Amino acid sequence: MTIRTVLFDVDGTLVDSTYLHVDAWQRALVEQGVTVDAWRVHRAIGKDSALLLESLAGDRDTAWTEAASERHDAHFRQQKHRLRAFEGSRELLRAIAARGVRVVLATSAPADELALLRAAIDADDAVHAVTSADDVDAAKPDPGILNIALDRADADPAEALVVGDSVWDMLAAARAGIKSIGVLCGGIGPDELRDAGASALYADPAALLTDLDRVL
Amino acid sequence: MTIRTVLFDVDGTLVDSTYLHVDAWQRALVEQGVTVDAWRVHRAIGKDSALLLESLAGDRDTAWTEAASERHDAHFRQQKHRLRAFEGSRELLRAIAARGVRVVLATSAPADELALLRAAIDADDAVHAVTSADDVDAAKPDPGILNIALDRADADPAEALVVGDSVWDMLAAARAGIKSIGVLCGGIGPDELRDAGASALYADPAALLTDLDRVL
């Protein structure tokens, strides 16, 4: 089947931000009175913030969840000068667009964070459509965000491909009936991504770019 | 064979410090003009600082390496209020010592960092001996630090066990002829640790403690 649309996760997939999110969430949780090991925070990254908080801190009321999210956002923004696209991210998006394949940024990041990420990637000319957390009530691992992304690109799941760095990206792709590729640059181990459904693995966007003829 | 000595890595194994080290090293490298992805820094954690820097920044002179290490140390110390032992670390060391098995902290951390880590663990009464980066010229993955640790406990490799969270811990144990167990709380994936020689895997010290009858 020909791939006509590639749906990219952004944090940890195109931009080196996963570890900054781990740090921001761990600080936010401690400030809210909840101690969580960094590696457990790392494994929850990629879920939307409400689901992430539920998995790490249990059932909480809306005020608590909003306060924790606000603290995360404040810590994360303090590190925004450190946001940097992975090597090859810009070139990968442009090479895909140059083949006539639609590039969609399908993320559950808040819109203001997404603006910072897009600036770091600096390839908006190659991007056909974008989603953010504002678009869906429940983001990944619910396939909602991917379905919105497919709609925006007028794409069929069978002709689409998801590229992501987290187990949640792979699981959401499977639920939406989309083939997925995992990248290791978010720091999740290869077997974790493979077990969640990744059809292939690459170190990072630069490695995926060198193999693009086989992927598309 | 009866286990008479358990050699523990400390950072990321008994104390939730791996992600703080990733952050400190990534900042230090950027300040020294070298951009390295966080996940690659993460995979180098557990090596002694000279080897870590060589693997991430290539061959550099001594002044550069020392400057980078000093920057790391400064960033890491700024986060020392966040150092916290994993759940079960203290109880695990005490349960092992209570069985008459010697506990050795075998780490390549500098002595001043080790003091902070020991304070976080708060189980010095259970610790038979300690090593630090000051003890050997080349620490892990060279088995040197483990051989020093064995000497200090007057232990035979065949009656010892290494517990660590990094690939480098597992490789150093194999080279020293010591059986190893991996813990996932440093954020390295299970297959990475298994491929490096881990004979068994546990989530964290608390999980290892519940299975101590089988391990010792």
Side-chain angles (χ1 to χ4, degrees):
Chain A
M1 187 68 77
T2 309
I3 300 295
R4 298 185 189 279
T5 308
V6 183
L7 313 181
F8 277 95
D9 173 62
V10 181
D11 277 303
T13 297
L14 296 171
V15 177
D16 191 15
S17 56
T18 294
Y19 289 74
L20 300 178
H21 280 297
V22 172
D23 195 67
W25 279 119
Q26 197 184 33
R27 288 172 190 265
L29 284 161
V30 163
E31 287 164 8
Q32 292 282 105
V34 178
T35 301
V36 182
D37 300 339
W39 75 289
R40 295 190 192 272
V41 179
H42 189 182
R43 264 60 191 177
I45 299 285
K47 295 185 181 190
D48 107 299
S49 57
L51 292 173
L52 176 144
L53 284 168
E54 192 185 339
S55 71
L56 295 176
D59 204 22
R60 304 277 173 163
D61 64 26
T62 308
W64 192 94
T65 301
E66 284 177 1
S69 286
E70 278 165 22
R71 284 174 181 276
H72 160 272
D73 296 353
H75 285 299
F76 187 74
R77 276 193 213 100
Q78 281 184 357
Q79 301 300 318
K80 67 181 181 187
H81 61 283
R82 297 174 67 192
L83 283 175
R84 191 184 51 79
F86 288 116
E87 199 189 317
S89 287
R90 183 181 307 116
E91 296 76 7
L92 176 62
L93 300 194
R94 288 188 175 149
I96 293 170
R99 291 172 186 237
V101 174
R102 290 180 167 176
V103 170
V104 182
L105 303 184
T107 169
S108 56
D112 57 339
E113 278 179 30
L114 180 58
L116 299 171
L117 297 167
R118 291 175 74 164
I121 299 167
D122 189 25
D124 271 352
D125 51 293
V127 174
H128 176 77
V130 170
T131 69
S132 76
D134 300 344
D135 288 316
V136 280
D137 291 333
K140 292 176 291 189
D142 188 284
I145 202 90
L146 294 180
N147 287 331
I148 299 267
L150 288 173
D151 281 352
R152 295 218 171 136
D154 195 21
D156 188 296
E159 297 179 332
L161 175 69
V162 164
V163 180
D165 71 303
S166 79
V167 161
W168 315 112
D169 297 324
M170 306 298 107
L171 293 177
R175 288 194 211 169
I178 312 173
K179 187 178 156 182
S180 65
I181 283 181
V183 287
L184 304 179
C185 46
I188 300 301
D191 63 340
E192 296 170 85
L193 295 174
R194 208 176 281 115
D195 290 351
S199 69
L201 294 174
Y202 293 91
D204 55 16
L208 177 51
L209 177 60
T210 64
D211 207 31
L212 202 56
D213 283 337
R214 223 169 65 173
V215 170
L216 293 184
Chain B
M1 187 69 78
T2 309
I3 300 294
R4 298 185 188 279
T5 308
V6 183
L7 313 180
F8 278 95
D9 172 62
V10 181
D11 276 303
T13 298
L14 294 171
V15 177
D16 190 14
S17 55
T18 293
Y19 289 75
L20 301 177
H21 280 297
V22 172
D23 195 67
W25 279 118
Q26 196 184 33
R27 288 172 189 264
L29 284 160
V30 163
E31 287 164 8
Q32 291 282 105
V34 178
T35 301
V36 182
D37 301 338
W39 74 290
R40 295 190 193 274
V41 178
H42 190 183
R43 264 59 191 179
I45 299 284
K47 295 186 180 190
D48 107 299
S49 58
L51 293 172
L52 176 144
L53 284 168
E54 192 186 337
S55 70
L56 295 176
D59 206 21
R60 305 277 173 162
D61 63 25
T62 308
W64 191 95
T65 300
E66 284 178 0
S69 286
E70 279 166 21
R71 284 175 182 275
H72 161 271
D73 296 353
H75 286 298
F76 186 74
R77 276 192 213 99
Q78 280 184 359
Q79 302 301 318
K80 68 181 180 186
H81 61 284
R82 297 174 65 192
L83 284 175
R84 191 186 50 80
F86 289 115
E87 199 190 317
S89 288
R90 181 182 307 116
E91 295 76 6
L92 176 62
L93 299 195
R94 288 189 175 150
I96 293 170
R99 290 171 186 238
V101 175
R102 290 179 167 178
V103 169
V104 182
L105 303 183
T107 170
S108 55
D112 57 339
E113 278 179 29
L114 180 58
L116 298 173
L117 298 167
R118 291 175 72 164
I121 299 167
D122 190 24
D124 272 352
D125 50 294
V127 174
H128 176 78
V130 171
T131 69
S132 76
D134 300 344
D135 289 315
V136 280
D137 292 333
K140 294 175 288 189
D142 186 285
I145 202 88
L146 294 180
N147 288 330
I148 300 268
L150 288 173
D151 281 354
R152 294 217 171 138
D154 194 22
D156 188 296
E159 297 179 332
L161 175 69
V162 164
V163 179
D165 71 304
S166 79
V167 162
W168 315 111
D169 296 324
M170 306 298 108
L171 294 176
R175 288 194 211 168
I178 312 173
K179 186 178 158 183
S180 64
I181 282 181
V183 286
L184 303 178
C185 46
I188 300 301
D191 63 337
E192 298 170 85
L193 296 174
R194 209 177 280 114
D195 290 351
S199 69
L201 295 175
Y202 293 91
D204 55 16
L208 178 50
L209 177 59
T210 63
D211 207 31
L212 203 55
D213 284 336
R214 223 168 66 173
V215 170
L216 294 184

